[in-house]
Amino acid sequence: MAHTEHPAPVLLEQALASFSEQWSPRIVTTVNDYDVRVAKVEGEHLWHVHENTDEFFLVLTGELRIGLREPAGERTVVLPRGAVFTVPRGTEHKPYARVPTEILLFEPTGTLTVGDRHEEVPEHVDATTGHALG
């Protein structure tokens, strides 16, 4: 997303209302070399790893769960509305939501939603580096 001379504020509510696809993030702005993305999620994503970057999650509405495969074993973190969580680089993880949920993500521009290593991508998951707002 190119920076303009006169950037305009982005209302997250409007950004989220502009699309309906699940697991298909939209880039709302950039900060240095990072994208700020919003996504609508429900159901399961997939197990994947970002080898070289942490991944930041903020839950705007609903509730997000993230399965983590760590050296000590597997666990799940539960993120209610308003919670933030960072998945450390190199940690295999699988986000899922039991109810319709809206999230904000912060990650380096060009980061694939399915990471560097992942299981087979199901049809309902968009393997993307983020889409521009429509």
Side-chain angles (χ1 to χ4, degrees), residues 13-43:
E13 194 173 322
Q14 288 180 0
L16 285 156
S18 73
F19 66 98
S20 58
E21 295 85 359
Q22 299 283 327
W23 302 109
S24 183
R26 298 305 192 269
I27 300 167
V28 293
T29 191
T30 56
V31 181
N32 298 317
D33 299 327
Y34 280 75
D35 289 341
V36 178
R37 306 173 184 177
V38 293
K40 295 180 176 185
V41 301
E42 188 176 8

Side-chain angles (χ1 to χ4, degrees), residues 3 6 8 36 38 40 52 54 58 74 76 84 94 97 104 111 115 121 124-125 127-128:
H3 291 278
H6 303 287
V36 178
V38 293
K40 295 180 176 185
N52 301 310
D54 301 335
L58 164 63
E74 207 167 291
T76 299
V84 298
K94 180 180 185 174
L104 182 142
T111 300
V121 179
H124 69 277
V125 171
T128 178

Side-chain angles (χ1 to χ4, degrees), residues 99-123:
V99 297
T101 296
E102 296 173 332
I103 60 175
L104 182 142
L105 304 154
F106 188 70
E107 51 200 346
T109 299
T111 300
L112 263 174
T113 56
V114 295
D116 305 303
R117 289 189 291 112
H118 57 80
E119 62 184 358
E120 187 172 339
V121 179
E123 277 190 27

Side-chain angles (χ1 to χ4, degrees), residues 48-50 68-70 87-93:
H48 65 286
V49 176
H50 301 282
L68 301 164
R69 290 179 176 157
E70 300 170 313
V87 175
R89 69 192 67 200
T91 301
E92 194 172 7
H93 60 287

